[in-house]
Amino acid sequence: MTVTTLATLAALGAFHGLNPAMGWLFAVARGLQERSRRALLRALPPIAAGHLASVAIVAALVAATRSVTTSTALAVVGGVLLVAFGLWRLLSERHFRWAGMRLSAAQLAGWSFLMSSAHGAGLMLLPVLVAEPVPGGHSGHLAAAPVGALSGLAAAGVHTVAMLGVALAVAMLVYQVLGVGVLRRAWFNVDRLWAGVLVAAGLVTLLRA
Amino acid sequence: MTRWTPDPTFYPSPREAVTAPAEKLAYVAAFDRTASRPDAIVVLDTDPDSPDYGRVVGWTDLPYVGDELHHFGWNACSSALCPTAPHPHVERRYLIVPGLRSSRIHVLDTQPDPRQPQVVKVIGAEELAKRAGYSRPHTVHCGPDGIYLSALGGADGADGPGGIAILDHTTFEVRGAWEADRGPQFLAYDMWWHLTQDVLVTSEWGTPPMIEDGIIGELLLGRRYGHAIHFWDLAKRRHVQRVDLGDQYQMPLELRPAHDPTKSYGFVGVVISVEDLSASIWLWHRDGDAWAVTKVIDIPAEPADPADLPDLLKPFGAVPPLVTDIDLSVDDRFLYVSCWGTGELRQYDVSDPLHPVQTGSVHLGGIVRRTAHPAAPDEALAGGPQMVEVSRDGRRVYVSNSLYGAWDDQFYPDGVGAWLAKLDVDVDAGGLTPDERFFPHGDEFRGLRVHQTRLQGGDASSDSYCFP
């Protein structure tokens, strides 16, 4: 992976980490409820793990498929998918339904996985993944698929580390310094921006194809 | 209806909500007992600097007759900041207004003109019955993932069970019944929750035939009205525990959980004990892994000359307090208790919830007392403080005087009238004083009776918080 690729993956990770809906707010709520910073810190790894799983599935699929198919077809299909999904997110007002606050670590990871998947977190990485040169130079060769998947997983890993880092920083800042009152002023509508980024990512992918 | 920044009336914690600006308007449910004219949502001016302060400044007739408006609520509130289903960019904009008698649910848009809410949707009784299996919708709460609506009756005239219907909070369509497993629960009335603990609580009144033609003496003395509260797993939607108060304690109605999400207690008001006509307030609290209740306030009946009493009470020679509404200030410090029979609003300091201390009392109306309002000292008042609503900052309390059509007629047979009073609170020492500038009554309500009040931007019984 090139430096640009890594930087882009990390930047998208930071964007995901910044979104209160992706998990840091959940960690803050648990910390405040238990009156314990440890509870906050304990909540973040499962949230990151769920996010990683969601992103990794897309990344591994894209990277592996790219090894065996033409990149143009993948880019076109992926781009169209992204634009459509982004528009759906933009226009849909339905809310993700998950009633519980008292979740075990495994359930929390599951929640994060569903939240990330439903918001198309992995799809957002598509233009970066598609732009990557085909791994191993064995374009169209089936044997290259596992290698491709591996590079996809690495991409997801870089992305998730950045996501976790930003989520941790924001969660700690809100918990220790700012207080949840800041939500009222600082929580701009990330969902709209998120949908916009999805559409933009799709367009970039299509233009490159 | 999505915004770029969170709705400014949403607060992550009760501590923040207490700092909210004062309400400029109040919405009041008003109904026509004869069911010959439409019920209405009445808008009152609550801005002390306005020339119309304390007066009716808006009026929205509903499209049909015979609804009997009772309780209503907002489509969205501070629970939209909760991390499980975060969507703080919706607006607190629509009033969800059920008709307790008609089972119709009205959706009113308070924008663009907050003084003239517009009816934008009416959900028919048949839709509530078909989709959720309920009738007689009662209490509305904006949950993080939808609108929760308790209902007293079953579908198509069936007695019950009553329960909770879920409404989509963007389309307002009835999604279905909330309960996955109701266990022994049958009677319904109020519901509220400890959101961060995945706990929902429900209370019990009676089925529609038990209430719609008035209180039935034989059923009351036979201890057949509700006398238990229920605890549920909010996430799994399953019944967890039934806690019986004892069958002499008839009708545990209003539930007021602590606003602080780290606390695990709440108050429930009981209308009447059949042993001595007293009313009581109970505290629910944890008892190990289970829930328990403890009676923390007892309000005795007041002896009276039978000649001054309505038929139902003549044999007893006493006025029951009839505690029919309670409200807890957002800082969890003061509990307000409506004694609709004796015509009194009491204020208790419940900082130590197991040991409430009475800090204030105001008399208005009452079956025998008929105490006048200081703004109109010559007018004997019928009814008494009934629905009570506290402003988010805890400095103002609004009370209205009608309970429920058929019951009004039983306890105030010469007419319950219509009035609404505002009381100022001494938030330091405790205590209540009627505001002489704020007493809309009589003809101002055009012959309708006034029931619940909701304050613009939220009040002490409209919002739930996920952060302490």
Side-chain angles (χ1 to χ4, degrees):
Chain A
M1 278 183 282
T2 66
V3 175
T4 319
T5 307
L6 286 173
T8 316
L9 285 169
L12 284 170
F15 175 53
H16 292 179
L18 204 62
N19 187 347
M22 285 295 116
W24 68 256
L25 189 60
F26 212 142
V28 169
R30 283 165 73 113
L32 288 170
Q33 182 72 18
E34 313 278 328
R35 301 195 189 287
S36 137
R37 188 170 61 196
R38 189 171 290 175
L40 181 157
L41 295 174
R42 266 204 312 266
L44 280 172
I47 289 167
H51 190 80
L52 173 67
S54 170
V55 169
I57 286 176
V58 177
L61 269 177
V62 169
T65 337
R66 278 197 70 239
S67 315
V68 291
T69 55
T70 64
S71 57
T72 311
L74 183 70
V76 170
V77 172
V80 168
L81 193 70
L82 260 173
V83 173
F85 192 72
L87 287 174
W88 177 72
R89 293 287 338 163
L90 199 61
L91 301 173
S92 163
E93 287 190 349
R94 283 201 78 89
H95 296 299
F96 183 65
R97 191 146 190 259
W98 184 289
M101 278 283 282
R102 296 280 165 124
L103 304 178
S104 67
Q107 289 172 318
L108 196 55
W111 171 84
S112 173
F113 175 77
L114 289 175
M115 200 73 171
S116 304
S117 304
H119 284 80
L123 285 180
M124 209 183 281
L125 309 189
L126 212 61
V128 191
L129 299 171
V130 169
E132 255 305 87
V134 176
H138 295 286
S139 181
H141 200 284
L142 197 59
V147 184
L150 210 60
S151 94
L153 289 179
V158 169
H159 171 84
T160 303
V161 167
M163 181 264 182
L164 178 62
V166 171
L168 175 69
V170 179
M172 287 301 288
L173 190 67
V174 170
Y175 182 83
Q176 299 284 99
V177 186
L178 301 174
V180 283
V182 74
L183 290 172
R184 303 187 63 237
R185 300 180 297 276
W187 192 348
F188 66 94
N189 196 335
V190 187
D191 285 355
R192 281 197 198 175
L193 183 66
W194 186 279
V197 172
L198 282 170
V199 173
L203 292 174
V204 167
T205 313
L206 283 173
L207 287 174
R208 281 197 191 148
Chain B
M1 67 178 219
T2 55
R3 300 166 42 88
W4 275 109
T5 52
D7 186 308
T9 70
F10 295 170
Y11 292 86
S13 70
R15 254 179 325 121
E16 312 262 346
V18 167
T19 67
E23 62 285 350
K24 295 257 167 69
L25 296 173
Y27 297 95
V28 181
F31 71 97
D32 177 38
R33 173 65 180 132
T34 65
S36 56
R37 291 165 49 206
D39 294 355
I41 290 294
V42 178
V43 188
L44 294 177
D45 189 328
T46 60
D47 178 2
D49 297 328
S50 158
D52 292 326
Y53 178 62
R55 298 176 60 183
V56 173
V57 291
W59 189 283
T60 303
D61 275 330
L62 296 189
Y64 302 98
V65 296
D67 288 309
E68 182 139 13
L69 298 189
H70 200 65
H71 293 194
F72 63 113
W74 292 103
N75 65 310
C77 57
S78 299
S79 66
L81 289 158
C82 286
T84 47
H87 49 90
H89 307 100
V90 297
E91 290 178 88
R92 187 199 304 267
R93 167 169 179 169
Y94 298 94
L95 290 169
I96 313 298
V97 185
L100 183 53
R101 205 169 279 270
S102 68
S103 301
R104 274 186 289 264
I105 303 163
H106 310 80
V107 181
L108 273 70
D109 187 355
T110 63
Q111 301 292 339
D113 183 357
R115 291 172 178 233
Q116 295 294 337
Q118 300 292 319
V119 179
V120 292
K121 180 168 183 148
V122 180
I123 300 165
E126 61 293 341
E127 187 178 341
L128 180 63
K130 191 178 73 179
R131 298 199 181 205
Y134 292 130
S135 65
R136 277 51 167 220
H138 187 270
T139 294
V140 180
H141 275 303
C142 29
D145 55 348
I147 298 167
Y148 289 61
L149 180 65
S150 77
L152 305 184
D156 307 318
D159 265 10
I164 299 169
I166 300 292
L167 269 58
D168 187 288
H169 62 175
T170 50
T171 63
F172 307 118
E173 278 170 8
V174 180
R175 276 205 210 138
W178 172 79
E179 295 83 3
D181 171 12
R182 75 173 68 250
Q185 183 268 336
F186 187 83
L187 299 174
Y189 181 77
D190 198 13
M191 49 98 196
W192 215 353
W193 43 49
H194 295 290
L195 265 189
T196 59
Q197 302 170 41
D198 297 339
V199 173
L200 182 135
V201 192
T202 63
S203 62
E204 298 185 336
W205 190 9
T207 60
M210 294 169 75
I211 59 163
E212 288 189 336
D213 298 321
I215 198 165
I216 298 172
E218 302 88 81
L219 292 182
L220 182 67
L221 295 176
R223 308 179 178 210
R224 302 282 299 281
Y225 288 94
H227 48 87
I229 59 175
H230 300 264
F231 295 89
W232 305 73
D233 184 322
L234 178 60
K236 297 195 175 78
R237 301 182 287 129
R238 293 181 176 280
H239 188 275
V240 172
Q241 192 185 347
R242 174 181 187 273
V243 179
D244 199 331
L245 308 185
D247 65 6
Q248 69 269 41
Y249 296 106
Q250 292 280 290
M251 297 181 273
L253 297 186
E254 299 291 334
L255 302 165
R256 296 291 178 262
H259 295 282
D260 181 340
T262 65
K263 299 285 194 287
S264 304
Y265 67 81
F267 298 92
V268 54
V270 173
V271 175
I272 196 162
S273 160
V274 292
E275 291 184 346
D276 57 7
L277 303 192
S278 64
S280 50
I281 307 293
W282 298 62
L283 183 79
W284 75 75
H285 50 89
R286 298 266 190 193
D287 178 20
D289 286 339
W291 292 94
V293 290
T294 302
K295 186 161 72 168
V296 293
I297 298 173
D298 206 84
I299 305 175
E302 296 177 357
D305 182 345
D308 296 335
L309 292 171
D311 291 344
L312 186 72
L313 296 175
K314 281 189 198 302
F316 301 99
V319 184
L322 299 175
V323 167
T324 43
D325 194 21
I326 61 175
D327 207 14
L328 181 63
S329 64
V330 175
D331 60 4
D332 295 329
R333 182 171 167 212
F334 289 118
L335 184 75
Y336 295 88
V337 178
S338 281
C339 306
W340 187 66
T342 45
E344 183 183 12
L345 181 75
R346 293 188 175 195
Q347 179 198 50
Y348 291 88
D349 186 327
V350 290
S351 305
D352 175 359
L354 273 166
H355 303 99
V357 177
Q358 191 178 343
T359 46
S361 164
V362 164
H363 279 282
L364 287 170
I367 291 170
V368 172
R369 272 204 180 85
R370 308 280 166 149
T371 312
H373 191 279
D378 300 328
E379 286 182 47
L381 289 184
Q386 205 277 307
M387 288 310 288
V388 43
E389 198 49 75
V390 180
S391 66
R392 283 170 300 182
D393 60 10
R395 293 175 183 275
R396 295 166 304 285
V397 175
Y398 299 85
V399 290
S400 51
N401 79 320
S402 158
L403 170 62
Y404 180 63
W407 294 39
D408 293 343
D409 299 347
Q410 265 182 322
F411 290 100
Y412 293 91
D414 53 338
V416 75
W419 53 266
L420 203 141
K422 182 202 143 205
L423 312 163
D424 291 312
V425 179
D426 181 337
V427 290
D428 299 316
L432 291 165
T433 319
D435 179 349
E436 296 197 24
R437 294 177 60 209
F438 195 103
F439 182 54
H441 64 291
D443 292 343
E444 290 190 69
F445 294 114
R446 306 180 193 175
L448 302 193
R449 297 184 188 178
V450 286
H451 193 57
Q452 194 194 19
T453 305
R454 283 270 173 232
L455 305 180
Q456 186 183 35
D459 45 53
S461 69
S462 61
D463 287 42
S464 319
Y465 309 92
C466 275
F467 307 90

